[in-house]
Amino acid sequence: MVTVADMREMTNHNVLISGASIAGPALAFWLERYGFTPTIVEKAPALRQGGQAIDVLGTATEIVRRMGLLERVQAASTGKRGTSYVDVHGTVRASISSEVFNGVGANGDTEIQRGDLAQVLYDATSDKVDYLFGDSITAMVQDQDGVHVTFEHSPARTFDLVIGADGVHSHTRRLAFGPESDFLRHMGYYIAIYTTPNLLNLDHWEYDYNTPGTIAGSYSARHNTQAKAIFAWASDPIDHDYRDGAAQRRILCDTFAGQGWEVPRLLAELPAAQDFYFDAMAQIRMRSWSTGRVALVGDAGYCASPLSGQGANLSLVGAYVLAGQLATAAGEHTAAFAGYEREMRPMVDACQKFAEGVGGWYAPNSRTMIRVRDLNVRLLPYLPWRGLIGGAPQKVARTIEAAAYV
Ligand SMILES: Cc1cc2nc3c(=O)[nH]c(=O)nc-3n(C[C@H](O)[C@H](O)[C@H](O)COP(=O)(O)OP(=O)(O)OC[C@H]3O[C@@H](n4cnc5c(N)ncnc54)[C@H](O)[C@@H]3O)c2cc1C
């Protein structure tokens, strides 16, 4: 068991975290429990909703259990039962149940909307952690006394440590480590997702339609009261400002213009969507996740891309390990950041490797490969080694155990 150092000697109490999605609030939860004083700055004016259904699997499930939040997470589960692949006429070509596909449901693991998980984590921290919404770091200067931070709106302050939990396009990373292009690895696909009415009357189910290199789909959400439209497609990097939502909506419409099945109906809902999410599927690869008193957690430091299906798991585990290492080292950041790096690296490597090749299954690049994928899906429940394939995400999500820090 890892023991927590004597709290009376603890140093570096005041920790600024940039980003209030999954990694940021999860880190604040554990830091506060260990006696630190976390503050979270979030650029958005309020907690951001939206995003895909995400899996909480393996070690992350155990961590959520230790947070005392497993019941709440399970109560918000999507309850999705499976996925069907359809042709242009809507005829089902292959179907698979969620349990065969990714093992969700086993050992308390669950699938939850990203925004719902963020809400659970926010609710568990908002009375103990100072949240600064609608603000952002503008500059950081560090010396032996701390990190001197200026904000867009709040007065300048000095923190002992600053942790970037601000996602794949991390601003903290840019300020402390250098330009995004030094670390971002494009995976060859884009993704877009938004909420729609349950147009297809789906019952805890997903329908997906492929053309070579693209996939468009819809799955029911919030127990069939609404649905998500989801699009992904193979593409080289698209030259645009990733903050320009109007340009992104145009790119999506242009890419799927003229497609059949229910694509026109799904796209017709786009103008009304309040929670449009669009991004390149990309990984962040860094040799080190810390520099002096600044460190990164979650997608900011080691995004494995949506193709991995492990973003939330990496964030929950990374936050737990980073806080645990800081507690163990009584706040001494050099030792803590080195321990964090050592402990997390195997899981990050495994998740990033896992994402490679997934795109070819998800959005096959030819009609032949779409048929091959459908055939595989149909056969999967009968294959003796289906457990190995279906259990692969679980295995990756268990790359490291949750150490006992207390
Ligand atoms: C609205 C939204 C929708 C998403 N939808 C999907 C999806 O459909 N599929 C998928 O695979 N992944 C999605 N993701 C990414 C997914 O949440 C992450 O892969 C994963 O959960 C890791 O989370 P994270 O906390 O490290 O980063 P993220 O979830 O990306 O959160 C980063 C947070 O930092 C905030 N932030 C950004 N810049 C600044 C700044 N300068 N100052 C302060 N705060 C800042 C962001 O507003 C956000 O709240 C989405 C993320 C968001 C924010």
Side-chain angles (χ1 to χ4, degrees), residues 66-78:
R66 289 184 195 177
M67 294 169 102
L69 300 177
L70 190 56
E71 277 183 11
R72 288 203 52 198
V73 167
Q74 286 176 333
S77 148
T78 61

Side-chain angles (χ1 to χ4, degrees), residues 18-24 41-44 48-52 54 114 135-137 165-168 171 191 193 277 297-300 303 306 311-312 315:
S18 175
S21 175
I22 309 299
V41 58
E42 163 61 50
K43 195 174 174 57
R48 290 178 66 183
Q49 291 301 319
Q52 207 176 340
I54 50 177
R114 188 212 67 90
D135 210 348
S136 176
I137 299 170
D166 38 9
V168 66
H171 182 59
I191 183 172
I193 183 159
Y277 174 78
V297 66
D299 277 8
C303 181
S315 293

Side-chain angles (χ1 to χ4, degrees), residues 231-391:
F231 299 85
W233 64 101
S235 170
D236 290 334
I238 302 170
D239 186 19
H240 78 290
D241 179 352
Y242 69 85
R243 286 156 298 208
D244 185 347
Q248 294 175 334
R249 286 172 193 240
R250 274 196 304 277
I251 293 167
L252 174 64
C253 289
D254 291 349
T255 305
F256 284 83
Q259 283 210 4
W261 182 59
E262 298 282 358
V263 171
R265 268 172 93 196
L266 296 175
L267 287 178
E269 296 295 330
L270 181 56
Q274 302 291 317
D275 60 353
F276 180 64
Y277 174 78
F278 176 109
D279 212 338
M281 298 208 204
Q283 294 191 337
I284 296 298
R285 297 203 171 194
M286 303 182 75
R287 264 195 225 110
S288 170
W289 304 314
S290 66
T291 172
R293 293 174 172 274
V294 179
L296 303 172
V297 66
D299 277 8
Y302 34 80
C303 181
S305 90
L307 292 168
S308 76
Q310 301 285 343
N313 297 328
L314 277 171
S315 293
L316 289 164
V317 177
Y320 178 79
V321 171
L322 176 54
Q325 288 287 346
L326 277 164
T328 304
E332 204 291 297
H333 60 281
T334 312
F337 291 164
Y340 165 56
E341 187 99 26
R342 226 175 16 251
E343 215 178 316
M344 272 309 287
R345 187 62 78 174
M347 181 166 176
V348 169
D349 288 350
C351 291
Q352 294 195 329
K353 188 157 184 293
F354 184 69
E356 287 167 7
V358 172
W361 165 279
Y362 191 50
N365 61 9
S366 68
R367 295 203 183 279
T368 305
M369 291 313 293
I370 293 171
R371 282 197 288 272
V372 170
R373 193 275 320 275
D374 289 349
L375 182 64
N376 274 292
V377 169
R378 285 199 295 272
L379 290 177
L380 195 52
Y382 307 103
L383 297 177
W385 53 90
R386 68 182 178 282
L388 280 180
I389 300 171

